[in-house]
DNA sequence: ACCTGAACACCGTTCAAGT
DNA sequence: ACCTGAACACCGTTCAAGT
């Protein structure tokens, strides 16, 4: 019985819905062990969520500087991250984003990409928060759809009905990136020293 | 004992943290009634969350067309909504955004503002989803900060440390709006008939 | 040392009995 | 009709006893 085994079992058991809804008892049953055995590998249910978050975020790469302009690298990273987290829409990353070392790695990646793109550290921080908000918000919208079985954003009438999640996400992401570019364009061109 | 009384008690008891963490038992104690009495007014704990969401969203106005250009009206509505929901960062609006008639009212308001701004229904739907994502994401970031006591976005290093939530939100919101305007600008100017 | 059963201190909600 | 106590079917986790 290993940690990855437990994480995988939790993922399978949640079936893409609210991770929080699976109980330690059900997880133990799935693995065929007594409940308390889990606590030899995981300190708490809360910590388990952190492990799951790390697990799904681990494969997401931070593109290196030679992989295109900063917009393209941001887009790639955010798309990958969204897709990875799409495995567990009800992850409640809310509560664990700050504890996850993988989430921190990606946040740092975004910051350095933005810095390389010409943003000051200050602007980069603001911009990365905006990008973070977009991905979190989109995941929430998807979580609603997955868990309730409703189409993506029913309240937005029929227009969104036939749109894929990718389309929705890309539109929002592109809008933010476009806005960030506009911010950059207003500044005098950066000087290299 | 009235429904608003129950909602207010829930708000007070949660103290701005995760609403889900308060128990029906604690809520009943706060109101000085037996637990089961609550069920004469609220069908379930889940429904209570919906009532709280409606309650905090009710005062948020949809600006009328004569209150400035569409960007300004969107900004005003979103700012108001963010502030209203800031009362209960841990509202888990995730689960109830679709059930709340007040959330639906605001979503419709955003759609009609965008339509008036020159977006096709299709574009307006995409744009409103993007705006929805931004506010949801920002609220999540704030919820993390409130509940964990950490500064807003600790992983973004010191740059964000001294920024108010309003600054963060406005930056993200402005970026999206800027991006949406760019989308509009690329189109031929709309014709009135 | 590692494992785990029983127990503790909770939950939300059903249901039947009270007035 | 309206109200509510007791009970049901769960929780996560502690803790002490097992090997």
């Amino acid at each position: 019985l290993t940690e990855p085994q437990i994480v995988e079992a939790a993922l399978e058991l949640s079936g893409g819905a609210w991770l929080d809804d699976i109980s330690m008892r059900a997880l133990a049953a799935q693995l065929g062990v007594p409940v308390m055995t889990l606590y030899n590998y995981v300190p708490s249910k809360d910590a388990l969520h952190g492990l799951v978050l790390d697990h799904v975020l681990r494969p997401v790469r931070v593109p290196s500087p030679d992989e295109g302009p900063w917009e393209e690298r941001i887009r790639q990273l955010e798309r990958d991250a969204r897709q990875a987290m799409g495995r567990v829409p009800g992850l409640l990353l809310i509560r664990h984003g700050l504890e996850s070392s993988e989430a921190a790695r990606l946040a740092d990646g975004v910051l350095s990409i933005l810095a390389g793109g010409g943003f000051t550290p200050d602007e980069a921080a603001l911009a990365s928060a905006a990008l973070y908000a977009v991905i979190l918000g989109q995941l929430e919208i998807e979580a609603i759809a997955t868990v309730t079985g409703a189409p993506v954003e029913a309240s937005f009438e029929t227009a969104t009905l036939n749109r894929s999640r990718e389309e929705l996400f890309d539109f929002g992401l592109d809008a933010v990136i476009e806005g960030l570019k506009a911010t950059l364009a207003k500044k005098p061109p950066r000087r290299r020293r």
Side-chain angles (χ1 to χ4, degrees), chain A:
Chain A
L1 190 60
T2 66
E3 191 181 285
Q5 256 175 23
I6 297 176
V7 170
E8 280 296 352
L11 276 172
E12 191 179 346
L13 208 56
S14 80
W18 302 112
L19 183 65
D20 204 45
D21 284 350
I22 75 166
S23 68
M24 295 300 273
R25 283 165 155 95
L27 182 57
Q30 169 88 357
L31 289 161
V33 299
V35 199
M36 290 318 296
T37 302
L38 292 176
Y39 285 86
N40 293 313
Y41 300 86
V42 173
S44 71
K45 190 185 183 182
D46 227 49
L48 175 63
H49 290 179
L51 292 180
V52 172
L53 181 56
D54 275 339
H55 183 260
V56 298
L57 249 30
R58 197 138 26 223
V60 179
R61 271 185 347 102
V62 176
S64 63
D66 62 357
E67 297 186 53
W70 69 266
E71 308 97 283
E72 199 46 55
R73 280 177 284 147
I74 289 285
R75 226 184 303 264
Q76 189 181 320
L77 189 158
E78 298 279 343
R79 275 199 190 127
D80 280 4
R82 188 203 71 82
Q83 195 168 32
M85 304 234 1
R87 284 190 64 189
V88 211
L91 188 48
L92 296 186
L93 131 125
I94 325 177
R95 309 203 191 200
H96 301 94
L98 292 185
E99 300 158 22
S100 160
S101 59
E102 289 299 317
R105 175 178 66 83
L106 295 179
D108 285 346
V110 168
L111 277 176
S112 72
I113 291 174
L114 291 170
F119 291 91
T120 66
D122 212 50
E123 293 166 333
L126 284 168
S128 66
L131 289 163
Y132 195 47
V134 167
I135 195 169
L136 278 183
Q138 176 68 22
L139 284 167
E140 293 231 22
I141 293 176
E142 292 181 19
I144 300 171
T146 300
V147 174
T148 66
V152 173
E153 270 320 294
S155 59
F156 293 138
E157 305 293 343
T158 50
T160 50
L161 262 174
N162 296 324
R163 297 194 176 277
S164 71
R165 292 160 178 213
E166 283 72 22
E167 254 185 300
L168 271 182
F169 179 66
D170 283 349
F171 184 87
L173 181 58
D174 285 348
V176 176
I177 289 178
E178 204 62 40
L180 295 180
K181 278 165 74 174
T183 304
L184 257 195
K186 275 183 202 147
K187 294 201 304 178
R190 68 203 150 105
R191 228 162 300 168
R192 301 198 179 275
R193 52 185 169 118

